[in-house]
Every structure is written in C-alpha cells, then in structure tokens.
Amino acid sequence: KEEKKAAQYILGKIYYEGGYGVNRDLKKAIQLLTPLAEEEEEDKEEKKAAQYILGKIYYEVGFGKNDFGKAIEWLKKAAEKGY
C-alpha cells in the first residue's frame, strides 16, 4: 500500500511538472494528489508534499473563484506539518 501511495505521488508530481514524455495535466495531478493530501496519517512525506503541490496548483493556475482559498488551505496544512 505504501508503494502505491509513493507511485501515486510521483505520477501526480509528473503531471504537475510535465516531463518524462508526459504533458503537464493539472486536473490529473489534482485527481492523484488530493487523496494523498487527505490521508489520515499525519506524518507521511507524500501527504505533506501533495498538500504543498495542490496549494501551488490552485495558487498558480486556479480553476474558479474559490481557488485562492483552496490554495491557502492546502499551503497552510503543508506548512503546519513542517513542509
């Protein structure tokens, strides 16, 4: 299960950044990273990193009027966990 989460995080990050022959796709990145960011386990590195990347996505690009609030929410969660 942990390996699956790690792979999910890596793929989400690749979709966020683009590369390795994969086009940047923020919607796919969000689909992959959101479940990790919402995990109940507090100290997992993938969770903190997923929260940070989601915050960056919503801040940089945004998809609607509430996205700046989502950006702050995700970035704050990551920062509170020391990321």
Side-chain angles (χ1 to χ4, degrees):
K1 186 174 179 175
E2 292 302 315
E3 292 171 352
K4 180 183 175 191
K5 289 179 187 178
Q8 185 175 344
Y9 166 72
I10 292 167
L11 186 57
K13 186 175 179 185
I14 290 171
Y15 275 119
Y16 167 64
E17 296 174 343
Y20 300 100
V22 176
N23 291 328
R24 190 173 197 214
D25 187 330
L26 298 180
K27 289 186 181 191
K28 283 185 182 178
I30 289 170
Q31 289 174 341
L32 289 164
L33 295 172
T34 299
L36 295 174
E38 293 174 342
E39 276 283 316
E40 291 189 24
E41 298 178 51
E42 289 299 318
D43 294 328
K44 295 293 181 184
E45 205 57 35
E46 288 92 1
K47 177 179 182 165
K48 296 182 236 182
Q51 290 172 336
Y52 177 73
I53 292 173
L54 285 170
K56 287 177 62 175
I57 290 171
Y58 285 112
Y59 178 79
E60 293 172 2
V61 179
F63 294 100
K65 63 181 178 179
N66 295 324
D67 291 339
F68 191 70
K70 286 181 184 179
I72 292 171
E73 176 185 340
W74 285 120
L75 291 170
K76 183 178 177 182
K77 285 180 181 185
E80 287 172 348
K81 292 175 180 59
Y83 195 83

